[in-house]
Structures are given as C-alpha cells and as structure tokens.
Amino acid sequence: MTEQPRQKILIFTSKTGGGHISLAEALRDRLSDQYTIEMIDPQPRVIHAHYRLVSRHALWLWAAEFRFSDTPARARAAHRIYSTLLVRNVAAALRRSAPDLVMTTYPFLTSEVKEAMRRFGQPLPFIMLFADPNGVHQSWLTEQGAEGVFAPTRETYDQALAAGFPPERLHLTGWPVRAQFYRDFSASRPSALAAMGLQPDRLTVFLQGGGEGAARFVRTVENLLQVENIQIILAAGTNRRLYRRFQHTPRLFALPFTKEIATYMSAADVVMGKAGPNMLFEAVTLGKPFIATAYIPGQEQANLEFIQRHHLGWVALQAADQRQLLHDLIASPARLAEVASGVEAYRQWNTEANQAIPGLVNELLPHTV
C-alpha cells in the first residue's frame, strides 16, 4: 500500500530579532511529527538592516515607529506599504513551496500574505499566531480574514474578541515554546554547573545578552557581579564583543551563540534579561522565575505588567534594585519559592493550552476523501 505524502505547512516569519523565529521554530517542533514544515522570511535586506540599526543605536526611533503605527488607520497604511514591498516575494515563496497551509508569526506577513494569495490566485488556509502576550499591536488586528487566529494568552484572546475577530476562528492556544525546553534537566543540573566551572550551592543567574545588541548588558553584568554570593551564566548570543569582554571573568560562564540554550538556562535558579516574551515563556516552561532588567520601549513595556500580574518574577530596571533583589533572594530563599509556585501554575496552563495546536491545524488543512 502506497504511503500518503505528508502535507506541507509554510511558516512565514521574520529575522528581525529572534522572537518571531523562535515562535516559528516552536510551531515547527510541535507539528513536524505529522507534517513537513518550511520556514521562510521573504523580506528584503533593507528591513533587516533597519532593525539592526535602530535596535543597536536608536531605540527611541523603534519605540516611536511602534507607537505611531498602533492605530487602525496607520496600521492599514503600513500594511499597504509592506504589501507593495513584499507581495511578489511572498507569491514566489508560495509557488515554490506549494504548501497545503500557511502560518505566520509576524504581523507584517499577515495582510501581505492574504494579498499575495488574492492577487496571484493562490488561496490557501491561513493561520496567524499573535506574537504579543499582553496587548496586541494594531498591525495584527487589521487582518481579520485568516481562517485561524491563535491567541497565546488570555489577554490577547480577549483583545481580539473585542476587536471583532469571529469567535469561531479565534483560539486560545498558549504561547508555543521550542521542544528543547520541555526536557527534564533536573538530574543533569550539578554536572552542567560543574562543566561551566560554577558551584552547585550558589544562587545562579542566567543572563541573556541579546544577539542584536538591543539590551546594553555590559553595565548590567558588572553591576550584578558586585553581589558576591551569586554566579552568572551569560548568554552572549551573537554579540562577540560581549562574549570576549567576560570570557575569563570569575563566577561567570560566558556562553557564545548556541541553538541548544535550554541546558544552560535550566541550570540557573532565576533568569534575567530584557522582557522579551519568548525568553519569558521559555523560563516559565523550565519552571524558572524571571527578572526583567530592561525592555524595548513601546513593544515590550506591557510585558512588565504581564510578569507581575501572573507572579512570574520581578521587574528590576535599576542597578540598585537588581542588586537588592538578588541579596534578598540569597537571604530569603522563601521568596524564590513563592514566585516559583506562580511560575508552575502558569507553566501547567500554558503546556495544556499548547496541546490544542495540532488538532486546530488538522481541522484547517484540506483533506481528500
């Protein structure tokens, strides 16, 4: 008996930062047992160059762009501009890939994808996954023609309902997290710390440096090292200067870019860094409290409130507050345990919600009789 070929899913995503890619990889990990998955960023290089420039040198401009486009009229205008830039690239990707279903993790590959399908006669089931946990940007909400809309949190689900999304197409799915973060690392923690030259009985902080340089972490690292009884796992990402700066620092393990980050994050007691949602939910999946030390203005500011509302950790944006918090956690381990219970409750809910994703995708895929 001839085996049926696997159906194919094409995920449009963006290399601007790492968050949209991580979400696409999480969807791939959850669906690849049943389907062939392809991921693509069809954007021209100028868009990536613009992101690198403003994230490193002009966060104020990024915040201004984010806030300026966060109205229905301006978001629709932005989509018209992006469609002009992207529609041919998107259509070419659809023709080459020949998928059975299309997904996106990026707001400016929503109306653009639907327009490419309409203009070039390539109608396919289309699913959008909101990439915001606590307040959906209007660039997501202007496209209401998707066959499936995945809301990763209760907050985004309620906002989409209020914006008029059809309830039968809107699904509360939880925030997808890459498969590596679901492994059980508890038995390997002592050996992992030893391999990094760190002690098992010290408060261990996993600190994310950020590959694009959006968060300026040199001063943050130097500030934290003033707390004598902690040790740091510094994930430098692709920031080679940050890696070289701290490569031989006592009580610190400098980690260059690696795709297998969960092993290192799981060895820590707390995760610290910029309040990006992917790292937050990866920490939650590992059962680790999160300490927000910075955020991208506009885009990530609402995430601070989300962390506090769900008792997932702390917000400590000032150097003195960060040192004081770590001193308190060393002196009163019960504070860490209290937050850990909130993290565990959210982890369980999110994991259960994620289990609906394959079934929802299967319902939208075309099936031959």
Side-chain angles (χ1 to χ4, degrees):
M1 187 173 180
T2 305
E3 185 178 350
Q4 286 288 99
R6 284 158 60 104
Q7 290 181 292
K8 186 172 186 179
I9 297 172
L10 176 61
I11 303 176
F12 284 106
T13 189
S14 174
K15 296 176 183 175
T16 51
H20 300 289
I21 293 286
S22 292
L23 273 177
E25 290 175 342
L27 289 171
R28 178 201 61 196
D29 290 352
R30 189 159 290 275
L31 297 169
S32 59
D33 286 345
Q34 298 172 254
Y35 311 107
T36 298
I37 309 295
E38 182 179 359
M39 301 186 304
I40 187 170
D41 180 353
Q43 298 176 104
R45 292 180 181 177
V46 64
I47 293 178
H48 304 139
H50 172 73
Y51 176 82
R52 284 194 296 271
L53 177 66
V54 297
S55 67
R56 290 176 178 175
H57 306 295
L59 280 178
W60 62 269
L61 178 57
W62 183 264
E65 292 175 354
F66 184 89
R67 294 185 177 116
F68 181 80
S69 61
D70 196 17
T71 69
R74 290 169 181 167
R76 283 191 289 270
H79 277 298
R80 287 193 291 271
I81 295 170
Y82 269 77
S83 289
T84 301
L85 288 171
L86 300 179
V87 69
R88 292 189 179 278
N89 288 357
V90 170
L94 291 170
R95 285 194 298 270
R96 180 191 55 75
S97 180
D100 298 285
L101 180 143
V102 178
M103 305 182 76
T104 186
T105 65
Y106 186 60
F108 290 105
L109 288 166
T110 55
S111 297
E112 295 73 10
V113 174
K114 293 293 285 187
E115 174 64 13
M117 291 180 183
R118 183 195 65 77
R119 190 182 301 183
F120 293 93
Q122 300 168 298
L124 291 165
F126 180 53
I127 296 174
M128 305 189 315
L129 169 63
F130 295 148
D132 300 317
N134 190 37
V136 184
H137 192 270
Q138 286 293 330
S139 55
W140 286 106
L141 300 178
T142 55
E143 177 52 63
Q144 298 192 9
E147 284 70 26
V149 180
F150 290 178
T153 64
R154 300 177 185 92
E155 288 85 350
T156 55
Y157 182 87
D158 291 342
Q159 187 179 353
L161 274 181
F165 277 75
E168 66 275 12
R169 297 185 180 188
L170 181 63
H171 308 281
L172 182 58
T173 61
W175 193 279
V177 176
R178 290 174 289 175
Q180 61 178 286
F181 291 91
Y182 287 99
R183 300 175 197 152
D184 182 4
F185 296 98
S186 54
S188 61
R189 182 176 184 270
S191 58
L193 287 170
M196 290 183 276
L198 302 177
Q199 303 299 317
D201 55 350
R202 276 185 173 167
L203 182 74
T204 305
V205 175
F206 180 94
L207 183 63
Q208 178 80 0
E212 292 287 1
R216 303 183 186 282
F217 267 70
V218 170
R219 286 194 296 267
T220 299
V221 177
E222 292 173 342
N223 173 60
L224 297 183
L225 285 171
Q226 295 179 40
V227 183
E228 293 183 0
N229 292 320
I230 70 161
Q231 55 194 8
I232 298 171
I233 302 170
L234 174 63
T238 57
N239 191 328
R240 296 179 181 176
R241 178 181 294 182
L242 185 66
Y243 174 75
R244 290 193 296 268
R245 169 68 178 77
F246 293 104
Q247 186 175 5
H248 303 294
T249 303
R251 294 190 289 121
L252 184 149
F253 176 77
L255 177 67
F257 175 79
T258 175
K259 294 291 286 185
E260 293 296 319
I261 197 75
T263 303
Y264 301 93
M265 194 182 292
S266 68
D269 298 294
V270 295
V271 175
M272 295 185 72
K274 185 173 66 68
N278 279 286
M279 190 167 72
L280 170 63
F281 285 103
E282 288 165 356
V284 167
T285 303
L286 291 170
K288 306 296 180 181
F290 189 87
I291 303 173
T293 60
Y295 61 91
I296 295 178
Q299 182 176 347
E300 294 175 345
Q301 192 164 354
N303 298 349
L304 306 180
E305 180 187 345
F306 185 90
I307 291 167
Q308 294 170 320
R309 181 188 310 127
H310 293 287
H311 307 290
L312 303 180
W314 302 270
V315 175
L317 304 180
Q318 304 302 319
D321 294 337
Q322 294 161 15
R323 292 195 305 273
Q324 186 60 55
L325 175 58
L326 293 176
H327 279 300
D328 291 348
L329 295 180
I330 293 169
S332 304
R335 287 195 66 189
L336 201 59
E338 288 171 4
V339 171
S341 64
V343 172
E344 176 60 20
Y346 202 97
R347 185 195 68 79
Q348 290 183 13
W349 176 85
N350 196 68
T351 300
E352 291 171 6
N354 279 183
Q355 293 171 6
I357 292 174
L360 293 169
V361 170
N362 183 62
E363 289 176 11
L364 290 171
L365 275 161
H367 296 284
T368 55
V369 180

